[in-house]
Amino acid sequence: MVKVKFVIDLMVKVKFVIDLMVKVKFVIDLMVKVKFVIDLTVKVKFVIDLMVKVKFVIDVMVKVLVTYTLQTTASSVRSTTSSKNGLLSSPVNLRSTCKSSFVCLLFIPNSYCNWNSELCSCRPFHVQFNDTMCIPPTLLGFGCAIDAQCRVKVKNSRCVNGLCECLPNYIPFRRDRCLSEAKVGEYCLNHEQCRLSDKYAYCNWTIPHVYGKCQCPSGFFFTNDGRCLPHLGKKCKTSKDCEEATPGAYCKKHKKTAICECRHGLRSSSNRLRCETNKGQVIGEREKTPNTLATSLGKHCNKAAECQARDPYSTCINETCQCVRHASSCNAHKTGCHQNTFQCRNGQCVSWFFVCDGQRNCIDGSDEDECISYNCPKEAFQCNNGSCISRSLVCNGKWECPDGSDEARCYKGITCDKYSFQCASGQCLPQYILCNAVTDCNDGSDELETMCFKGEDCPSESFQCNSGQCRSTAILCSGLDGCGDNSDEDRCEVCYCEKPEDGART
């Protein structure tokens, strides 16, 4: 039994040794696997180190290539520039030859190498500002440096005082369009587009506030030349418009509005389409005496009929049309038009800008008919040789008079011609350039904000709008609202005399 127990104990110990050897084997196997991972890691590290070295070699080659390209380009530009003026102002400019856009971009932002011309050029939709600068386009109301910067995206625009705006006779639409005039019957995008061609027209929407067609307001007369004129009882802007649509009518103000009505002594017909006398005679249908011209107050006349053809309560006294009944508010010396405007024979008043300019702006053409040598209208300029020209031509830098007398007093060091504008620097320019939104004086003194918009220190020969803004008298009765409040267009028709008492001479 003792021997049996010994054998059993021995077998237990042998089992323990075997178990231990199994564990040792497991540890050895694990170590082998760990070694494999370590070996793999070493190999991966070797590959990474190799790739880093390859990258370094590539970087060096790129730098060598760029350096060579730049040296070649700079050498080419240097030889070209030095052959022209002996100086190298910039290594690369917009006239330099190139092989790569990288070279152009290195010196000129927003540029590229044009493969066709092999010259550095501005990128599409960018404009050249100078030899080394390409600038991006801009929209209406945004900052700009040159006109081309505005016109890339907005046709018919320009750069004024650092901001993009539409050209004259165009109106802005959103930020990207300048609209031209739309006549009656043409498509329109807003009311203002129609009013560029006719002050009464409006946009009759096809799709509300999207598009439509220009149309005359209801009750307006559409002329053969495409204008809208108000009939009796309709809102008006000038007596001229009422008279054209309905002979014998004028534009009568009623508080904040004005309406076409028949003149004093006349009545409207039953259909309100004509003005007639109390006897029923329609104005404009009676036969007129040949050579009888309608003549307004204060103008030269030969007989009473000429005055009464325009104002039934006026007559010809001392060869001048005057009221039969004198009134302080309306007479031959106070005709109601703005000062510094030209009074047409028929009573219309126009800007001095139009007088003796070779075009008939008065309906009766008197702004040109009265341009008689050595007897020019006071609203025009009389040359030393007696010929008449428009005051707008004085000091414009050109000889408009045959003898050059329109430029005789237009240089620094003397007082400029009375029909011109003198800048603070002494420079002499045409009178109309004052506060016209374009800087004409070299020192900018014609567009001072304090003067043009705040009305401070307006020149004595200028006009101050009801809003206080300062403007040239050239805008008075020009047919366009130059003030923004229409105060330059509110007195452009000669007044009418008061009805005389019964028995007064006519």
Side-chain angles (χ1 to χ4, degrees):
M1 292 295 289
V2 173
K3 291 180 180 181
V4 172
K5 181 179 181 298
F6 171 79
V7 173
I8 292 173
D9 290 340
L10 182 61
M11 291 178 67
V12 169
K13 291 178 181 179
V14 170
K15 180 179 181 300
F16 171 77
V17 172
I18 293 172
D19 291 340
L20 182 62
M21 291 177 68
V22 170
K23 291 179 180 179
V24 169
K25 181 180 181 298
F26 173 79
V27 171
I28 292 172
D29 290 341
L30 183 61
M31 291 178 67
V32 170
K33 292 179 180 179
V34 170
K35 181 179 179 300
F36 173 80
V37 172
I38 292 173
D39 291 340
L40 183 61
T41 302
V42 170
K43 292 178 180 178
V44 170
K45 181 179 179 298
F46 172 79
V47 172
I48 292 173
D49 290 341
L50 183 60
M51 292 178 68
V52 169
K53 291 178 181 179
V54 171
K55 179 181 180 298
F56 173 78
V57 172
I58 292 173
D59 289 343
V60 172
M61 292 178 66
V62 168
K63 290 180 180 179
V64 170
L65 179 60
V66 169
T67 302
Y68 174 78
T69 305
L70 290 177
Q71 288 177 346
T72 303
T73 304
S75 176
S76 174
V77 174
R78 186 180 295 108
S79 61
T80 302
T81 309
S82 60
S83 65
K84 293 181 179 180
N85 52 27
L87 296 174
L88 180 61
S89 58
S90 174
V92 175
N93 58 41
L94 289 171
R95 293 191 299 270
S96 299
T97 57
C98 57
K99 298 296 183 181
S100 168
S101 293
F102 178 80
V103 177
C104 302
L105 279 170
L106 192 63
F107 294 95
I108 310 168
N110 300 315
S111 67
Y112 77 111
C113 184
N114 189 317
W115 287 4
N116 294 325
S117 62
E118 294 187 348
L119 296 175
C120 287
S121 307
C122 290
R123 290 172 54 193
F125 302 108
H126 287 68
V127 295
Q128 180 177 344
F129 181 69
N130 53 35
D131 287 345
T132 58
M133 186 179 296
C134 294
I135 53 180
T138 188
L139 297 172
L140 295 176
F142 288 89
C144 58
I146 55 177
D147 290 345
Q149 193 178 4
C150 305
R151 292 172 183 164
V152 170
K153 287 191 174 181
V154 188
K155 292 182 179 180
N156 303 312
S157 64
R158 63 179 180 177
C159 185
V160 178
N161 296 328
L163 291 176
C164 284
E165 65 175 36
C166 292
L167 291 172
N169 299 323
Y170 289 82
I171 58 170
F173 183 69
R174 296 193 294 263
R175 294 282 189 180
D176 61 347
R177 293 186 69 179
C178 289
L179 301 178
S180 60
E181 68 174 19
K183 298 180 180 179
V184 173
E186 295 180 349
Y187 286 103
C188 51
L189 298 178
N190 55 32
H191 300 310
E192 289 73 22
Q193 189 179 8
C194 300
R195 289 170 189 150
L196 283 175
S197 65
D198 189 283
K199 55 192 170 185
Y200 295 110
Y202 73 102
C203 191
N204 185 28
W205 301 115
T206 301
I207 299 178
H209 304 290
V210 177
Y211 80 95
K213 283 190 175 182
C214 293
Q215 181 175 307
C216 292
S218 176
F220 274 60
F221 173 63
F222 183 60
T223 65
N224 292 332
D225 58 355
R227 292 179 297 139
C228 303
L229 295 176
H231 275 306
L232 294 175
K234 301 301 177 180
K235 290 183 179 180
C236 55
K237 296 184 182 295
T238 67
S239 293
K240 171 188 169 185
D241 297 334
C242 300
E243 176 72 25
E244 282 196 71
T246 310
Y250 75 110
C251 190
K252 183 178 181 180
K253 292 186 177 180
H254 296 271
K255 295 181 179 180
K256 294 183 178 181
T257 187
I259 295 175
C260 286
E261 293 187 3
C262 293
R263 293 178 192 166
H264 300 296
L266 302 175
R267 68 185 184 187
S268 63
S269 60
S270 58
N271 59 6
R272 293 190 63 79
L273 295 179
R274 299 285 186 272
C275 289
E276 57 187 26
T277 65
N278 293 330
K279 296 181 180 181
Q281 184 180 27
V282 176
I283 302 299
E285 291 187 354
R286 67 176 183 271
E287 294 184 2
K288 293 186 178 179
T289 305
N291 300 323
T292 298
L293 301 175
T295 306
S296 55
L297 290 176
K299 302 295 283 187
H300 174 79
C301 58
N302 296 309
K303 52 188 177 181
E306 294 176 348
C307 305
Q308 292 168 2
R310 196 265 172 183
D311 188 335
Y313 303 132
S314 64
T315 190
C316 188
I317 302 175
N318 298 326
E319 296 186 344
T320 301
C321 283
Q322 301 183 39
C323 292
V324 173
R325 178 183 180 182
H326 181 77
S328 58
S329 60
C330 180
N331 54 63
H333 303 290
K334 190 176 181 180
T335 61
C337 281
H338 283 293
Q339 291 185 354
N340 285 308
T341 59
F342 176 80
Q343 181 180 328
C344 306
R345 185 181 179 90
N346 65 356
Q348 176 190 7
C349 291
V350 299
S351 168
W352 56 255
F353 189 96
F354 303 130
V355 182
C356 301
D357 66 346
Q359 299 183 18
R360 299 167 71 90
N361 293 281
C362 293
I363 293 177
D364 56 14
S366 53
D367 57 316
E368 301 301 319
D369 296 340
E370 294 184 21
C371 298
I372 303 170
S373 295
Y374 292 103
N375 191 25
C376 300
K378 65 181 181 1
E379 295 82 13
F381 179 83
Q382 183 168 303
C383 305
N384 288 347
N385 71 343
S387 58
C388 309
I389 65 170
S390 170
R391 278 166 51 182
S392 65
L393 303 176
V394 178
C395 295
N396 69 348
K398 302 176 182 178
W399 280 26
E400 308 290 352
C401 291
D403 55 12
S405 53
D406 55 314
E407 300 295 320
R409 299 191 60 81
C410 300
Y411 56 90
K412 289 185 179 181
I414 66 169
T415 301
C416 295
D417 193 282
K418 65 178 181 178
Y419 291 136
S420 67
F421 176 78
Q422 187 156 15
C423 308
S425 64
Q427 181 184 8
C428 303
L429 294 172
Q431 198 175 46
Y432 66 84
I433 61 98
L434 174 67
C435 298
N436 66 347
V438 178
T439 302
D440 295 282
C441 292
N442 292 334
D443 58 9
S445 56
D446 59 315
E447 298 296 326
L448 297 176
E449 182 178 358
T450 54
M451 174 178 64
C452 297
F453 294 99
K454 298 181 180 179
E456 299 176 8
D457 301 321
C458 277
S460 58
E461 295 300 321
S462 65
F463 174 74
Q464 194 155 17
C465 310
N466 289 347
S467 62
Q469 296 180 347
C470 188
R471 294 289 185 267
S472 166
T473 53
I475 70 167
L476 297 175
C477 301
S478 63
L480 298 173
D481 182 4
C483 283
D485 58 11
N486 209 49
S487 55
D488 55 313
E489 300 294 322
D490 63 357
R491 289 191 287 130
C492 299
E493 181 82 10
V494 173
C495 59
Y496 287 89
C497 300
E498 293 183 7
K499 184 178 180 180
E501 297 177 357
D502 293 340
R505 178 174 61 88
T506 60

